[in-house]
Amino acid sequence: MSPTLIGMESEEIAALLRKLSPSPTPSFRATQVYQAIYQQRVASAGGILTLPRELRAKLEANVPFGLPTAAQCFQSSDGTQRYLLRLEDGKSVESVLMPEGERYTFCISSQVGCPVNCQFCLTALLGLERNLTAGEIVGQVLFIAARNGLSADVSKLNVVMMGQGEPLLNLPNVLKATRLLVDPDGIGLSERRLTLSTSGIVPKIEELGRQAVRPKLAISLNASNEEQRQKLMPITRKYHLKDLVDACRSYPLRTWEHLTFEYVLLKDVNDTDADARRVVKLLANLHCKVNLIALNPGPGIPYGTPNPERVAAFQQIIKRSMPCFIRKPRGLDIYAACGQLKRMEPDLVTLA
Ligand code: SAH
Ligand code: SF4
């Protein structure tokens, strides 16, 4: 992918300006460009009005800006919106906007498709098409914010990297995007409002823990024992449950932080009381909470959704030992809920 303005850090912008301008370009020009992209959220290089006209024109002629465009937008009856965004190379990826009262959560993708073959997830059926660049990850946030007039105030905004893809298999770009999202001189999102969810790529969890700037960590547990987990998430044959829990135990949490474990409940597969008790045992003494997600169905997914009573009973058992919540599905009717991102056309397909 050719570099785009969105996704560049200050030094990269400075280097670009030096290349484009034969006369020395003052370093404050780089700051002006950086702030125009990430703070003022201009829609093109032509909109950076603090720059001399000539430099603006050079930027426009030489570097793509990198804001994605909307190929399609689906609107759910619960207020959720799913965007199919067109990227520079013609590929498309999905992002979801979930309004909740005064607040907003953006669910963004880290890859086009996903290489991890979880048996309950529609995105897995796409396979991996490619990694997203840092600019394409940040671009999703800038696009949704601009489209919905949410540009000014980031204090009411949460961003979750829970869309298409396994973020820890695209870690360098995810980390660069994180720096751009949380830079107080840039987009200015609080680190506490940015979460990454992983299927459990153990060595990368350790690498993430070593970063000074990083999102909060959520881990898709999804099973209560090794055998079950390997069946549901074949990649975990490589990254064992015991090693995952060990990595969680030694993960350097910040003072304000806890781990989140996600658990997709599949009817008659991993939703029994015995499963719930095993989850409690596995996670004993970890500073964590558990989010239960009753399966969101889709064509080709060979599992059922447990009824609400079963989900509540599972929650009750876990709740005795640690905080446990049921994640409300958002945008089920438009294929925007967890595990449903596969560029579905809701008008053409009926829910399984
Ligand atoms: N790849 C990352 C993040 C994206 S998936 C990960 O797996 O963690 C986001 C969440 O959706 C994960 O917790 C995943 O377990 C869950 N999920 C996947 N398919 C689902 C489905 N069909 N119904 C409900 N949740 C699902
Ligand atoms: Fe990929 Fe996450 Fe879906 Fe698994 S659940 S296939 S890791 S997106």
Side-chain angles (χ1 to χ4, degrees):
M1 291 301 299
S2 57
T4 59
L5 269 183
I6 294 180
M8 287 189 186
E9 295 183 283
S10 284
E11 314 78 72
E12 291 171 283
I13 295 173
L16 172 70
L17 293 179
R18 278 195 297 274
K19 213 172 78 189
L20 289 181
S21 194
S23 57
T25 314
S27 70
F28 73 82
R29 292 285 180 223
T31 307
Q32 285 175 326
V33 173
Y34 185 85
Q35 289 179 341
I37 300 172
Y38 302 113
Q39 281 188 340
Q40 287 119 40
R41 321 260 181 91
V42 296
S44 68
I48 312 178
L49 299 178
T50 44
L51 292 187
R53 184 195 299 266
E54 204 185 316
L55 191 51
R56 252 184 280 159
K58 266 192 188 155
L59 271 180
E60 282 210 290
N62 286 283
V63 199
F65 191 65
L67 202 61
T69 53
Q72 271 176 309
C73 171
F74 301 98
Q75 175 79 47
S76 165
S77 55
D78 70 12
T80 301
Q81 291 175 18
R82 173 167 64 94
Y83 292 99
L84 186 66
L85 298 179
R86 179 87 46 220
L87 306 171
E88 290 282 328
D89 65 349
K91 285 201 177 292
S92 63
V93 78
E94 290 164 297
S95 315
V96 178
L97 166 67
M98 292 169 278
E100 182 102 53
E102 290 260 276
R103 305 196 160 277
Y104 294 88
T105 299
F106 294 2
C107 177
I108 60 173
S109 296
S110 55
Q111 299 180 306
V112 184
C114 184
V116 183
N117 191 16
C118 302
Q119 302 293 296
F120 42 79
C121 175
L122 277 177
T123 311
L125 300 175
L126 292 174
L128 176 67
E129 295 185 21
R130 69 169 170 84
N131 279 337
L132 291 178
T133 63
E136 289 167 336
I137 297 172
V138 171
Q140 296 170 66
V141 174
L142 294 177
F143 171 88
I144 302 176
R147 170 95 172 211
N148 294 278
L150 306 172
S151 286
D153 185 5
V154 285
S155 70
K156 296 190 172 66
L157 173 62
N158 291 295
V159 175
V160 295
M161 295 183 180
M162 297 189 187
Q164 288 184 10
E166 166 48 62
L168 294 190
L169 292 179
N170 185 18
L171 190 54
N173 290 334
V174 162
L175 289 175
K176 187 177 183 198
T178 298
R179 290 193 298 272
L180 291 167
L181 286 169
V182 306
D183 180 1
D185 295 326
I187 295 175
L189 186 76
S190 159
E191 253 176 303
R192 300 172 191 222
R193 298 197 174 282
L194 178 61
T195 303
L196 167 165
S197 174
T198 177
S199 56
I201 314 293
V202 174
K204 300 288 178 184
I205 290 177
E206 290 157 357
E207 193 177 333
L208 182 70
R210 291 194 289 272
Q211 307 300 318
V213 178
R214 56 187 147 99
K216 291 193 293 182
L217 180 59
I219 293 152
S220 299
L221 182 64
N222 295 342
S224 69
N225 63 56
E226 183 82 281
E227 192 197 341
Q228 202 181 54
R229 198 158 187 268
Q230 290 188 2
K231 241 186 236 160
L232 298 174
M233 305 170 74
I235 197 174
T236 64
R237 289 177 199 149
K238 197 159 155 202
Y239 304 111
H240 296 158
L241 186 53
K242 183 184 170 309
D243 298 333
L244 175 64
V245 175
D246 284 349
C248 291
R249 290 203 188 285
S250 47
Y251 192 76
L253 288 171
R254 290 157 286 193
T255 49
W256 45 268
E257 193 176 11
H258 59 259
L259 293 170
T260 298
F261 288 92
E262 295 145 300
Y263 193 101
V264 182
L265 286 162
L266 310 173
K267 186 178 163 63
D268 301 330
V269 174
N270 65 355
D271 66 344
T272 66
D273 288 357
D275 285 303
R277 286 192 292 269
R278 279 194 294 267
V279 168
V280 167
K281 228 171 164 178
L282 263 177
L283 305 183
N285 301 320
L286 280 167
H287 186 46
C288 69
K289 71 167 184 193
V290 176
N291 279 345
L292 301 176
I293 318 173
L295 177 83
N296 298 315
I301 301 300
Y303 298 104
T305 307
N307 63 39
E309 292 74 31
R310 178 86 302 266
V311 176
F314 199 95
Q315 179 194 27
Q316 283 312 314
I317 293 173
I318 296 187
K319 243 174 126 174
R320 284 186 224 131
S321 305
M322 59 195 77
C324 180
F325 304 92
I326 298 169
R327 188 179 289 169
K328 199 170 71 185
R330 297 290 309 259
L332 254 184
D333 54 343
I334 55 161
Y335 283 95
C338 299
Q340 290 195 311
L341 298 183
K342 189 183 165 256
R343 306 188 187 113
M344 301 294 275
E345 301 271 351
D347 290 338
L348 308 177
V349 196
T350 45
L351 279 173

